[in-house]
Amino acid sequence: MASQRQNAGERDTGRPGAGGRVELVADLDRPGAWMLLVDGISQSHVDLDDPRHLELEYMRRLGHLTDLAAPADAPLRVLHLGAGALTLARYVAATRPGSSQLAVESDPEVAALVRRRLPVDPSGGARPGAGRIVIRMGEAVCVLAEPAVLHGRTFGNLVVVGARRELPLAGLTRRLAGDPFPARLVEGTGLDRFTAGAAPIMDAGAEPSPPMPPEVFA
C-alpha cells in the first residue's frame, strides 16, 4: 500500500461509512487529484485531469492487467467490485474508449461522497452492493505483490488474478519489475507453496484485519 501523501490541501469529510470515517483530500502535488481515505487510510487516488495516472501501487498493477488483457484500444467489459473513487473505471474509459463498465460499491457513504465531489462519465454505470453477490467465479492463477508483503514483513496489497484463459504472465512480469516499487508475480508451484496450509476464511470465523502500524504512513 502506498504511504499517505503529506502534501494535502482541501479536505471534504463525509459521514461515517461502513468501514469508518470517509473523506476526500486534495493532492497539492497534482491539481485536480484527490485521495479517498477511510479512517485515515488511503483507499483510492484519482486525477480528474489525467485519468491515466495511477498513483497507488496496487492500482498500477491492475492497470497493467487491463493494458494486457486485450489488443490496444480494444474495448473491454469490466465489473469493478469495490468502486472507491472510480480510479480504474476512469483509467479504462481513457485507455479503451467504448468499454462497457459496471461499478459496485458496498459502502454507501463512499459512493455518495464520490458522486458529490468527483463527477463521473454518465456513460458508465454504478450501483451499491457486495462483491460476492454480484460475481461468484474465481480461479486465482497468480498473485502480484511486493516481496516484503509476500514474506509478511510489511503491510500491503495482494493482487489476485484469475482467468479462464492463459494470462500474459511474461508481459506482467516485465511491467512489475519496471514499477517504482517493483513487485513479484507468483504462479504455478510457487503459488502452491505460498498458499500451502491456508484454510478458506468463512463468514462464521472471519475476523477484522489487524490495524496497520503508524510507520506505514511515515
Side-chain angles (χ1 to χ4, degrees), residues 120-146:
V120 296
D121 185 345
S123 64
R127 67 182 176 92
R132 288 179 303 172
I133 297 174
V134 176
I135 189 169
R136 297 178 182 177
M137 186 278 293
E139 301 177 11
V141 296
C142 71
V143 170
L144 320 177
E146 294 177 40

Side-chain angles (χ1 to χ4, degrees), residues 9-55:
E10 181 184 353
R11 185 180 298 264
D12 189 331
T13 302
R15 294 180 297 178
R21 184 185 61 183
V22 179
E23 55 187 339
L24 285 169
V25 179
D27 184 349
L28 295 183
D29 290 339
R30 298 185 67 88
W34 295 81
M35 185 75 83
L36 172 67
L37 308 177
V38 178
D39 270 353
I41 299 174
S42 304
Q43 304 293 327
S44 298
H45 180 279
V46 60
D47 191 327
L48 301 180
D49 297 331
D50 182 11
R52 295 170 182 258
H53 176 76
L54 301 177
E55 179 77 14

Side-chain angles (χ1 to χ4, degrees), residues 4-114:
Q4 183 176 331
R5 298 173 68 89
Q6 299 298 316
N7 192 9
E10 181 184 353
R11 185 180 298 264
D12 189 331
T13 302
R15 294 180 297 178
R21 184 185 61 183
V22 179
E23 55 187 339
L24 285 169
V25 179
D27 184 349
L28 295 183
D29 290 339
R30 298 185 67 88
W34 295 81
M35 185 75 83
L36 172 67
L37 308 177
V38 178
D39 270 353
I41 299 174
S42 304
Q43 304 293 327
S44 298
H45 180 279
V46 60
D47 191 327
L48 301 180
D49 297 331
D50 182 11
R52 295 170 182 258
H53 176 76
L54 301 177
E55 179 77 14
L56 302 183
E57 288 84 3
Y58 86 95
M59 191 60 66
R60 191 176 297 114
R61 292 162 197 153
L62 293 174
H64 294 330
L65 285 169
T66 63
D67 290 345
L68 298 171
D73 298 326
L76 300 175
R77 293 177 62 230
V78 185
L79 172 63
H80 303 272
L81 303 179
L86 298 173
T87 306
L88 191 60
R90 298 170 197 273
Y91 180 84
V92 171
T95 58
R96 296 182 177 274
S99 293
S100 173
Q101 303 191 76
L102 173 65
V104 179
E105 174 54 57
S106 63
D107 191 327
E109 292 306 324
V110 169
L113 185 58
V114 170

Side-chain angles (χ1 to χ4, degrees), residues 140-198:
V141 296
C142 71
V143 170
L144 320 177
E146 294 177 40
V149 175
L150 287 170
H151 294 293
R153 295 196 295 266
T154 188
F155 282 79
N157 291 291
L158 300 177
V159 175
V160 181
V161 185
R164 293 177 174 175
R165 58 183 175 84
E166 185 177 356
L167 286 167
L169 299 181
L172 275 175
T173 299
R174 288 193 296 270
R175 289 189 175 220
L176 295 174
D179 277 343
F181 294 89
R184 283 181 52 201
L185 184 152
V186 183
E187 51 95 19
T189 57
L191 185 57
D192 290 339
R193 290 193 298 269
F194 180 72
T195 59

